[in-house]
Amino acid sequence: MSNVSVPPPKCLQKPLEVPHRHMFGPGPSNVPPRILEAGANPVIGHMHSEIFEIMSDIKSGIQYMFQTQNNMTLAVSGTGHTAMECAIFNTVEPGESVLAAVNGIWGERAAEMAERIGARVNTIVAPPGGFFTNAEIEQALSKYRPVLFFLAHGESSTGVLHPLDGIGQLCHKYNCLFLVDSVASIGGAPVYMDQQEVDILYTGSQKVLNAPPGTAPISFSDRACQKIFNRTSKPVSFFLDLSWLANYWGCDGKPSRIYHHTGPVTAFYSLRESLAVLVEEGLENSWERHKEVAEYFHSGLESMGLKLFVKEKKARLPTVTTIVAPHGYDWKEITTYIMKTHNLEISGGLGPSVGLVLRVGLMGCNSTKANVDMVLAALRDALKHCHKSKV
């Protein structure tokens, strides 16, 4: 008599079916065939010399993308949240002061992560669609004296591209590390990690890079490393402990690498290929293309009578556009109609922007004028067919 009491699930006796879809939400974005094919290469060992060579290529690509010469540059196994935790868990000890700039969901998340490890967390808050002046940031740095200041460069929940110039210098004036989230912006808007004195910068693989979700590039300045490697207590996470990750990625100068975790080798292939695509186009060309396509999209939206959520042009994120939710319509009905009728994903708001906006992401290979025309046609169609209240 069999001891197997749970029968084989019928759902797994059918072949896998995944639809093709236009991924024009805030991420993930479509993965082009070239990057999909790279990820289909044979699996080899995560401690094989060929993998270490691929990891070295990835490190060089991240240094180019971030515009940094930091030796402590690698990709965390996980999404952008993993990199956010890696940054916070390694730099902050219980009882230390952390300052988070909150103008959307990512500042909220960073504050919660720091709270969970026992930091004393303070925030400066701007309304959704807003950003901070350097004077406001300096005032908070002077008041709270944090060891770490968090800022989202590309706030994808509200569509804000936050200025970075001068903030790193202010942080260092107050002996504070500058942590920047560039998940929604890197490759689509200028970032100069070394020049702008950013101490920790991270991103995700699934936005402008057009790789599958699951790897998160991150880099640490020498100043950040000095703080991290002179802690009085171990980081709360073994998996994200930078001393172990530094060894696995060959960043610690030691002659041999010790097993820490099984790196996602096929995700490394995809990430390397996505960085190669960016290198071939060139950073400045990629920034310019995203800017031109975003401006073309914005003028198209305004000609339809729709309003952009971020009022100041210079503060609009070129990768993720936030549109004021059209008056009288249910935003969920619009996004559902567009998905069903046009096989195209756009999203509603997230966190503080829920109910206020529609979000459209045109990132990496998706950032084209042809795709803008497709989105505008889908929005026109939805506004024609979705219910509009007369109130």
Side-chain angles (χ1 to χ4, degrees):
M1 182 179 167
S2 172
N3 289 325
V4 175
S5 60
V6 179
K10 286 192 167 53
C11 61
L12 292 180
Q13 296 171 40
K14 295 184 279 187
L16 173 69
E17 290 182 12
V18 180
H20 175 77
R21 194 160 278 155
H22 300 292
M23 299 298 291
F24 299 160
S29 51
N30 290 105
V31 180
R34 173 178 168 180
I35 295 172
L36 284 173
E37 287 163 14
N41 273 294
V43 171
I44 59 174
H46 58 286
M47 300 293 284
H48 290 185
S49 60
E50 295 89 348
I51 285 295
F52 293 158
E53 191 175 333
I54 289 167
M55 291 163 74
S56 177
D57 292 348
I58 289 169
K59 176 176 174 176
S60 296
I62 296 169
Q63 288 171 322
Y64 170 69
M65 178 172 65
F66 285 178
Q67 286 296 286
T68 184
Q69 294 183 34
N70 291 336
N71 177 55
M72 194 63 67
T73 299
L74 52 101
V76 184
S77 303
T79 62
H81 278 83
T82 321
M84 187 188 277
E85 289 202 330
C86 181
I88 294 168
F89 289 179
N90 279 286
T91 51
V92 180
E93 298 196 64
E96 289 186 325
S97 172
V98 170
L99 178 64
V102 177
N103 64 332
I105 195 170
W106 304 118
E108 293 175 355
R109 291 276 167 97
E112 179 167 343
M113 288 174 187
E115 280 172 0
R116 285 178 178 227
I117 60 166
R120 292 180 291 111
V121 179
N122 291 288
T123 58
I124 48 174
V125 181
F131 59 95
F132 305 93
T133 65
N134 285 15
E136 289 169 330
I137 291 168
E138 180 167 17
Q139 187 178 16
L141 290 169
S142 174
K143 180 178 179 181
Y144 298 117
R145 300 287 169 153
V147 299
L148 184 72
F149 173 56
F150 171 89
L151 181 73
H153 180 232
E155 180 43 88
S156 58
S157 69
T158 59
V160 171
L161 181 72
H162 204 290
L164 292 180
D165 286 345
I167 299 173
Q169 290 87 339
L170 286 176
C171 287
H172 300 149
K173 178 181 173 182
Y174 292 93
N175 198 28
C176 169
L177 297 174
F178 186 27
L179 166 60
V180 173
D181 177 318
S182 70
V183 172
S185 60
I186 205 74
V191 178
Y192 305 92
M193 184 175 187
D194 290 354
Q195 194 177 312
Q196 292 172 318
E197 296 191 28
V198 176
D199 291 298
I200 310 167
L201 182 67
Y202 67 85
T203 192
S205 56
Q206 75 278 16
K207 309 264 185 175
V208 171
L209 283 174
N210 298 136
T215 52
I218 191 168
S219 183
F220 298 82
S221 70
D222 289 343
R223 186 185 274 103
C225 290
Q226 193 172 359
K227 167 90 169 74
I228 290 164
F229 297 126
N230 287 286
R231 295 174 60 101
T232 57
S233 60
K234 288 183 179 181
V236 69
S237 170
F238 175 82
F239 182 64
L240 298 175
D241 187 328
L242 191 60
S243 61
W244 283 90
L245 293 175
N247 176 261
Y248 181 42
W249 279 86
C251 299
D252 63 356
K254 292 182 180 175
S256 61
R257 305 193 197 193
I258 302 166
Y259 169 72
H260 172 242
H261 73 285
T262 304
V265 293
T266 57
F268 290 165
Y269 306 159
S270 300
L271 179 60
R272 185 201 180 280
E273 195 68 15
S274 69
L275 288 163
V277 170
L278 181 63
V279 164
E280 284 169 22
E281 180 177 13
L283 259 181
E284 289 171 311
N285 292 333
S286 182
W287 296 338
E288 187 58 33
R289 175 169 56 85
H290 283 82
K291 180 174 178 282
E292 279 182 18
V293 170
E295 287 172 354
Y296 178 73
F297 185 33
H298 297 168
S299 63
L301 290 167
E302 288 173 334
S303 70
M304 283 175 59
L306 293 171
K307 293 177 182 172
L308 292 160
F309 187 65
V310 180
K311 300 293 180 269
E312 283 200 49
K313 282 187 180 181
K314 67 172 185 178
R316 289 174 184 164
L317 186 56
T319 51
V320 179
T321 296
T322 42
I323 307 160
V324 174
H327 181 69
Y329 289 92
D330 178 351
W331 68 266
K332 286 183 186 172
E333 188 186 357
I334 292 173
T335 57
T336 303
Y337 177 87
I338 288 175
M339 176 75 84
K340 187 177 177 183
T341 312
H342 296 269
N343 196 31
L344 188 158
E345 181 193 50
I346 66 169
S347 302
L350 180 67
S353 68
V354 168
L356 302 178
V357 300
L358 298 172
R359 294 184 298 152
V360 180
L362 295 169
M363 297 177 272
C365 65
N366 285 348
S367 180
T368 67
K369 290 183 178 180
N371 285 343
V372 167
D373 292 339
M374 199 189 305
V375 175
L376 292 173
L379 283 167
R380 273 191 215 98
D381 186 37
L383 295 176
K384 193 187 297 180
H385 288 96
C386 292
H387 174 73
K388 184 179 184 183
S389 77
K390 292 172 183 173
V391 180

